[in-house]
Amino acid sequence: MGSHLQLSFLVLVMVTLATFMIPTFAQLTPNYYDKVCPKALPIIKSIVKQAIIREKRIGASLLRLHFHDCFVNGCDGSVLLDDTPSFLGEKTALPNLNSIRGFEVVDEIKVAVDKACNRPVVSCADILAVAARDSVAILGGAQYWYQVLLGRRDAIYASKDAANANLPPPFFNFPQLLASFQSHGLDLKDLVVLSGGHTIGLAKCITFRDRIFNDTHIDPNFAATLRDSCPRRSGDGDTNLTPLDASSPSQFDNTYYKALLHKKGLLHSDQELFKGGDDGGESDRLVQLYSYDPYAFARDFGVSMIKMGNLKPLTGYEGEIRYNCRKVNY
């Protein structure tokens, strides 16, 4: 009898130890840093605000960094990694090359939060998520604030090929855009509302040249005006910048959708969201809704950003917390 009790006790101990040894992959939570480093989020907001005061465009850049991070193997900070002898990272992929920016602000945030927390406890992936939210709220006001879910860890690998394959280009038509979003678990509503991020920021001539010279679903006066700074010949003015939302390029609001109603979307992919005919369907309805109801846009934008921010995050013992957002720890 004693041997049976000893055996049972041994089994219980082994099961208990195994339970503690198995990694647990917790869900992201809004209060992740409340105890481990309550100073982290206020510091991120402060640095983002200072960066936007220096250059308003940086808000759009930080929002875009988060989007480009999440669409390539999930929200894991991989977009921040420099190339190494073992991999070509995402920075040199076609959609990112000489395009994504804001890395210095991320570096500044990382140094500040690590100092305040006395150790590297805030992941680079979480920094991107919070900086994107803060940018939107600073440029758009309190109605655009949403509660970011936190607890991501950082990837130790990045892929140029994955970035080329997963980031939708500005010439995509609506079915291609929807397929791209659906491949990441996002739906038509997410596509329309997240595209509203183009209410801030600038685009290079090379990304909309074909639209202003060849598209038919475009306001002719709008196209003619753009041709002044974006000539037809490739190579001429390729890097000239134009606001994605000419009405209020530094204000996060719903004027992006108003422009689509008048066939004044800058990118081909923008205007694809609104056809204005019988075939527009749900996408047209959402563009119309957001064009006259800024509160509906603010509400739905936050919901979709949280949804996008939850794309395949690394948690538990996966990945690492980087000491330097540009390189892995080893």
Side-chain angles (χ1 to χ4, degrees), residues 55-98:
E55 181 200 13
K56 281 198 171 181
R57 182 188 173 196
I58 204 68
S61 300
L62 293 171
L63 176 61
R64 190 162 178 251
L65 269 182
H66 181 45
F67 175 84
H68 280 227
D69 182 38
C70 290
F71 259 56
V72 184
N73 297 326
C75 309
D76 59 4
S78 58
V79 71
L80 302 172
L81 289 172
D82 290 336
D83 292 351
T84 73
S86 59
F87 65 76
L88 291 178
E90 298 165 28
K91 290 180 178 179
T92 54
L94 191 59
N96 292 334
L97 186 62
N98 299 319

Side-chain angles (χ1 to χ4, degrees), residues 14-46:
M14 291 176 67
V15 170
T16 303
L17 285 173
T19 301
F20 282 110
M21 290 170 65
I22 294 172
T24 56
F25 302 104
Q27 294 295 309
L28 303 181
T29 63
N31 56 356
Y32 185 83
Y33 294 108
D34 285 3
K35 290 185 178 180
V36 293
C37 188
K39 298 178 181 178
L41 268 59
I43 287 172
I44 296 173
K45 181 180 179 181
S46 175

Side-chain angles (χ1 to χ4, degrees), residues 4 27-28 52 57 85 126 139 157 172 178 180 201 204 207 217 238 242 248 262 286 290 309:
H4 286 299
Q27 294 295 309
L28 303 181
I52 289 174
R57 182 188 173 196
D126 274 352
L139 293 172
Y157 178 78
F172 261 14
L178 183 57
S180 174
K204 292 180 180 179
T207 63
H217 192 56
D238 283 0
T242 296
S248 52
H262 297 94
L286 286 167
Y290 298 144

Side-chain angles (χ1 to χ4, degrees), residues 113-178:
V113 293
D114 282 0
K115 182 179 179 181
C117 303
N118 297 315
R119 64 195 190 285
V121 69
V122 182
S123 70
C124 302
D126 274 352
I127 288 173
L128 289 181
V130 176
R133 187 275 310 278
D134 289 344
S135 295
V136 167
I138 290 166
L139 293 172
Q143 70 267 31
Y144 289 103
W145 189 94
Y146 56 91
Q147 196 167 46
V148 180
L149 299 180
L150 301 163
R152 299 168 190 81
R153 287 168 64 84
D154 297 321
I156 58 174
Y157 178 78
S159 170
K160 178 179 180 178
D161 290 341
N164 281 324
N166 285 282
L167 292 168
F171 54 79
F172 261 14
N173 61 32
F174 183 79
Q176 291 172 316
L177 290 168
L178 183 57

Side-chain angles (χ1 to χ4, degrees), residues 182-254:
Q182 288 176 334
S183 72
H184 297 289
L186 302 172
D187 58 25
L188 184 150
K189 187 175 184 179
D190 298 316
L191 164 62
V192 177
V193 74
L194 290 175
S195 295
H198 283 176
T199 187
I200 53 175
L202 308 171
K204 292 180 180 179
C205 160
I206 195 171
T207 63
F208 59 85
R209 174 184 281 125
D210 190 61
R211 168 159 167 73
I212 63 175
F213 284 102
N214 299 315
D215 272 14
T216 56
H217 192 56
I218 187 171
D219 178 90
N221 293 326
F222 176 66
T225 301
L226 290 169
R227 289 173 193 149
D228 291 340
S229 60
C230 186
R232 181 188 294 271
R233 192 170 69 176
S234 178
D236 289 350
D238 283 0
T239 59
N240 290 351
L241 296 169
T242 296
L244 285 157
D245 173 6
S247 298
S248 52
S250 298
Q251 181 73 26
F252 199 93
D253 54 27
N254 66 331

